[in-house]
Amino acid sequence: MKKNSLIRILFFLIVYVTLSAIATYYFSIDKRERTKLYLAQQIEKLYSEYQATKYAYRMLANFFYDELSHDTKFLQLLVSWQKDSKVGKEIERFLSQKFRLLQKYEINYLTIYDPSGNIVASMHKMAPLKRKKSKLFEKKETTNELVIEFKKPFYFQRNMVGIYKAAISYNVFKNRLAKLFKGYYEYIINGTLINKKVFSYGNYLFVQSDLHKDFYYEQSSKSLQNSRQKELIHRINSTIKEKIASSLAKRKNFAILTKIDDTYYTVSFLAIKGKEHIGYLISYKPDSNTAIFESIFLQNVILSNIIIAIVLLFIYYVLETRNRFEMMAVTDKLTKLYNRYKFYSIAEQEIQRAKRNKRPFAIIMFDIDKFKLINDTYGHDIGDLVLKEISQIIRKNIRRYDYAFRWGGEEFIILAPETDIKNAMKLAEKIRKLIENHSFEEVGKVTISLGVTQFDPENEDNIDAAIKRADNALYLSKKEGRNRVTLAV
């Protein structure tokens, strides 16, 4: 019985571990999907921030363009420039005051072209004018991939008289994002563009990115960060560097989560594309939602384990209770041996097995000699103790697949499967001697008388005849002086 309980406990532990693992796996998938969706939202958010800020700069550039395109004096100057390039100085003076307004909002690049593509005025941070022929309208148009450009034509009396081009650098753009959306932003440039020299404004100094050897920062980008921010971003980059290498190579949008000093950060990468991949706009933002996802995951795992444990404990309790009631129904309360009802159930099973295997089994019946005298002399409590001790001796000295029963009163039966009469007699004699040599509390020495028989599967169909033979043999043991084993004839 104890062994069965241990097996049942082990089974329930295995079921618990299995269900717990399944639940944990399911909730880990749920957390992963939540995180995946959340990262996709962060990419969309960065894209929206990028588009909104770009739209605001476009509106500002268009406002300046609209003002110029409705200024007759300026348009006439453009017409005059086509006849006399010296008018360019006057155009620059005309634009300089207005250009300061653009500079105030960090649009630091302004160029005016004539319809043929010649530079009329170049207002790059008030840089000196360099008149040169631009290949603006050729197939290989010269553009600066490191800036965001806004370009429109000027018309006067239905004739095109010039081209307006304003631009903002990505470094300025990402600093504006930081001010507007309260995060850390960075911009890394594809190294192939630097090798191709696809920039045309100002002087550029590039530093290799700490994210990947194929990407670079503009030097001005790094100098605009304070040392604490620079250190934090470097630590984040060092943490995610290996994880994002393959994603960077795909030139597509992606986002990743990382943890620095117990704080989660969402790092979103927005691929910037022109004629080819330019680089990435990167957003670094402290993140509280990931901690919530972790908390939800842990809560779900803990709650599911509690529910699984409660359900399994309830099932175990029901089974144990049912088993206990079943055992009570088939077990003698005093001796804890099987009772007569259980004997017939087991005997039927053994009969079927004996017939299949064509192997006999033995029945040993015995009772306690002069048990009534023990009760009368010492009282029923002592008599009960004698019954208990004899039961313990039987349990300890029969084989694990033998069965012991309290038949009634002081009578007992042992059913020994696949045992012939010779081995049954040895077992009976062993038990007789053990009880004879045992010292019982208060009573001292106690003896038993035994009757032994064998069930013959080839000639018998039920157990009653075998019980009768064993009982008769027991009676002979009593008649011939007790404390002996008698084989049924």
Side-chain angles (χ1 to χ4, degrees), residues 287-481:
D287 182 84
S288 59
N289 290 309
T290 302
I292 294 173
F293 295 156
E294 289 287 346
S295 177
I296 291 172
F297 169 72
L298 289 175
Q299 288 175 13
N300 285 338
V301 170
I302 292 170
L303 183 60
S304 64
N305 275 269
I306 290 172
I307 292 172
I308 291 169
I310 289 173
V311 170
L312 291 178
L313 284 172
F314 176 74
I315 295 172
Y316 178 79
Y317 172 77
V318 170
L319 292 177
E320 280 294 300
T321 302
R322 188 180 71 175
N323 185 62
R324 192 178 301 115
F325 280 117
E326 287 178 353
M327 289 303 296
M328 287 173 63
V330 299
T331 304
D332 177 64
K333 185 177 179 180
L334 178 65
T335 62
K336 308 303 179 186
L337 299 179
Y338 287 130
N339 59 21
R340 183 181 293 207
Y341 173 81
K342 184 66 174 177
F343 171 83
Y344 283 102
S345 174
I346 291 175
E348 184 60 33
Q349 295 175 14
E350 291 302 322
I351 288 171
Q352 297 305 318
R353 185 164 69 171
K355 287 183 177 294
R356 285 195 306 272
N357 299 336
K358 294 182 171 45
R359 294 286 303 275
F361 63 85
I363 297 291
I364 301 171
M365 179 178 281
F366 68 91
D367 74 358
I368 303 170
D369 296 332
K370 298 181 180 180
F371 185 70
K372 185 176 181 304
L373 180 60
I374 294 173
N375 280 333
D376 291 343
T377 305
Y378 302 101
H380 288 279
D381 290 344
I382 300 300
D384 288 346
L385 289 175
V386 171
L387 291 172
K388 288 180 180 180
E389 288 189 56
I390 288 176
S391 300
Q392 290 174 4
I393 292 171
I394 296 169
R395 271 198 300 267
K396 290 178 181 179
N397 291 281
I398 58 176
R399 298 170 300 183
R400 61 183 179 82
Y401 48 84
D402 291 337
Y403 301 94
F405 307 85
R406 185 183 180 191
W407 192 246
E410 70 273 21
E411 286 188 307
F412 297 84
I413 282 183
I414 296 172
L415 190 155
E418 298 195 9
T419 303
D420 57 23
I421 203 68
K422 179 180 178 182
N423 288 311
M425 288 293 289
K426 288 181 179 180
L427 176 61
E429 185 61 27
K430 173 185 174 182
I431 290 171
R432 185 194 69 77
K433 289 181 178 179
L434 286 168
I435 293 174
E436 180 185 23
N437 296 328
H438 183 77
S439 178
F440 293 83
E441 188 177 353
E442 298 287 339
V443 177
K445 296 295 182 180
V446 173
T447 60
I448 60 172
S449 297
L450 304 93
V452 178
T453 191
Q454 176 180 288
F455 180 87
D456 183 2
E458 295 183 3
N459 299 310
E460 295 184 88
D461 292 321
N462 63 70
I463 199 68
D464 291 333
I467 293 173
K468 181 65 175 175
R469 291 196 301 273
D471 189 46
N472 289 336
L474 169 60
Y475 176 75
L476 288 174
S477 293
K478 292 280 190 183
K479 187 176 180 180
E480 293 178 7

Side-chain angles (χ1 to χ4, degrees), residues 82-136:
Q82 296 180 40
K83 298 176 183 177
D84 183 6
S85 61
K86 293 180 181 180
V87 179
K89 294 285 186 180
E90 190 175 348
I91 292 173
E92 274 193 336
R93 285 193 296 271
F94 180 86
L95 290 173
S96 62
Q97 179 121 9
K98 297 179 181 295
F99 182 58
R100 289 191 183 94
L101 177 62
L102 286 181
Q103 284 185 304
K104 183 179 178 181
Y105 293 99
E106 300 176 297
I107 298 180
N108 293 318
Y109 303 107
L110 174 65
T111 305
I112 305 296
Y113 298 89
D114 72 3
S116 299
N118 297 307
I119 296 176
V120 176
S122 182
M123 310 295 291
H124 307 156
K125 296 184 180 179
M126 300 304 292
L129 180 64
K130 294 182 181 179
R131 310 205 183 281
K132 61 178 181 179
K133 183 74 174 179
S134 170
K135 299 178 181 179
L136 184 64

Side-chain angles (χ1 to χ4, degrees), residues 161-172:
V161 294
I163 300 290
Y164 166 89
K165 186 193 286 187
I168 177 174
S169 73
Y170 277 105
N171 276 325
V172 170

